[in-house]
Amino acid sequence: MDRQDKGSKNTNSLAEEETKLLESLGLLNLVQESENNEVSNSSWKQQTLFPSSSSSTSNKILLGIGGTLFLLPHLFVILSLPPVLQRRGAPYLPTFANKLNVMFDLIKRHVNNNNKTFIKQSSSLKFVDLGSGDGRVVFRAAREGIFQKSVGYEINPALHMWVKFRQLVTPKYWSSTEFYLGDLWKIKLHNYDVVAVYGLYPIMDRLGKKMQDELKPGSMVVSNVFQIPGWRASTSIGGGSVGKGVYLYQVPGCYRHGHDVNRTQDVSSKDKHKK
């Protein structure tokens, strides 16, 4: 014990002598500031490299949210590729606001001009989007207030789950919209008055034949970007709409051949007899 006490005294005396020497040389303050900086730097490194459990958990949560938001659009595109490769559908291609404005401007103008001769009263009109994606076209149709029901069909399960979530958290769409997970080739179109499509060129000819077989006279088809082979866009809309890449067709005037018109009228009469 005596030796330890002597050692500690010697150490203290040396520290005092060292402090006095630094003070006499005017270096004491500089050394103390350097020591304080080293302590603060070591503390910062410890917090950065070895964060507390709470901050580490929050960082992981933020990282997970960011990763999900980054990967979600890619997941939408990846899951939409199989129907494209099988020529049964189109990839996830969102319709932008300027195209939506053109589409619904044409629809409203056409309904107002032709509802006496072709289309029923707007209170009972039904709208369908074939390949509804993230639901933006269907939600826009519901906001226009001219359709009794706006419906979307989508084959991509990830997109369908996303749009159902959007519908769930927006009560104003509960009664005016419906979304289904399904193949557009299995949908019967005779109950719809306005059909929206955003397909690729390889499927447009087949899709046109399907709509020709099932749509009743007076129905309208709005196609984004791609025209329907063998169909003639409505001449009452004007060339400006076609130049913007939105094509509006009305049955049966859109068909280029007379026997196609008779065929559609026959289909319509059969639907009436079924009812």
Side-chain angles (χ1 to χ4, degrees):
M1 293 292 295
D2 294 338
R3 291 181 180 179
Q4 290 181 354
D5 292 338
K6 291 181 181 180
S8 61
K9 290 180 180 179
N10 292 335
T11 302
N12 292 334
S13 61
L14 288 174
E16 290 176 358
E17 292 178 1
E18 185 176 308
T19 301
K20 291 179 181 179
L21 178 61
L22 291 173
E23 187 176 6
S24 64
L25 295 175
L27 299 177
L28 180 62
N29 292 334
L30 183 62
V31 171
Q32 289 176 342
E33 289 178 2
S34 177
E35 289 177 348
N36 291 334
N37 289 335
E38 287 181 1
V39 171
S40 61
N41 288 337
S42 63
S43 176
W44 177 84
K45 288 179 180 179
Q46 184 176 3
Q47 292 178 357
T48 303
L49 297 178
F50 306 100
S52 63
S53 58
S54 60
S55 62
S56 177
T57 302
S58 62
N59 289 338
K60 289 179 180 179
I61 293 174
L62 291 175
L63 183 62
I65 294 173
T68 301
L69 294 176
F70 175 77
L71 293 175
L72 199 59
H74 297 79
L75 180 64
F76 292 162
V77 174
I78 292 172
L79 291 180
S80 67
L81 290 179
V84 176
L85 298 176
Q86 298 170 8
R87 296 199 171 189
R88 292 170 48 228
Y92 170 56
L93 299 170
T95 304
F96 296 107
N98 59 337
K99 288 292 181 70
L100 286 174
N101 293 336
V102 174
M103 288 171 60
F104 286 97
D105 180 60
L106 297 184
I107 292 172
K108 288 187 292 185
R109 286 165 53 190
H110 219 63
V111 167
N112 292 333
N113 292 337
N114 298 281
N115 60 3
K116 291 182 179 180
T117 56
F118 288 107
I119 272 205
K120 302 175 292 183
Q121 295 298 317
S122 61
S123 59
S124 59
L125 292 178
K126 294 189 69 175
F127 174 92
V128 64
D129 186 14
L130 302 180
S132 51
D134 59 9
R136 66 182 66 189
V137 177
V138 177
F139 290 135
R140 174 63 181 270
R143 291 197 300 270
E144 291 294 332
I146 60 175
F147 301 105
Q148 178 190 31
K149 188 72 69 175
S150 300
V151 182
Y153 286 90
E154 176 58 49
I155 198 172
N156 186 327
L159 282 169
H160 178 68
M161 292 176 61
W162 169 249
V163 78
K164 291 294 287 185
F165 171 77
R166 288 187 60 190
Q167 183 192 38
L168 179 65
V169 298
T170 316
K172 68 177 181 179
Y173 294 130
W174 289 356
S175 62
S176 59
T177 62
E178 292 179 358
F179 294 93
Y180 299 99
L181 180 65
D183 190 338
L184 67 87
W185 303 108
K186 298 179 181 179
I187 302 165
K188 300 301 180 184
L189 302 174
H190 59 275
N191 286 329
Y192 296 103
D193 302 285
V194 179
V195 180
V197 295
Y198 191 172
L200 295 181
Y201 182 77
I203 70 168
M204 294 305 289
D205 184 52
R206 180 186 171 194
L207 184 58
K209 293 177 181 177
K210 173 181 173 62
M211 292 188 291
Q212 183 176 320
D213 288 338
E214 299 178 12
L215 290 176
K216 56 184 176 293
S219 301
M220 288 186 291
V221 178
V222 183
S223 179
N224 192 6
V225 179
F226 294 97
Q227 299 185 60
I228 302 174
W231 287 34
R232 179 175 56 246
S234 176
T235 55
S236 65
I237 299 301
S241 62
V242 176
K244 294 178 181 178
V246 178
Y247 305 89
L248 187 142
Y249 306 89
Q250 185 156 24
V251 175
C254 59
Y255 306 139
R256 295 184 184 274
H257 305 291
H259 69 276
D260 292 334
V261 176
N262 296 331
R263 178 181 170 187
T264 302
Q265 291 174 344
D266 292 339
V267 171
S268 178
S269 62
K270 290 179 181 179
D271 290 336
K272 291 180 180 179
H273 287 306
K274 290 180 180 179
K275 295 179 181 179

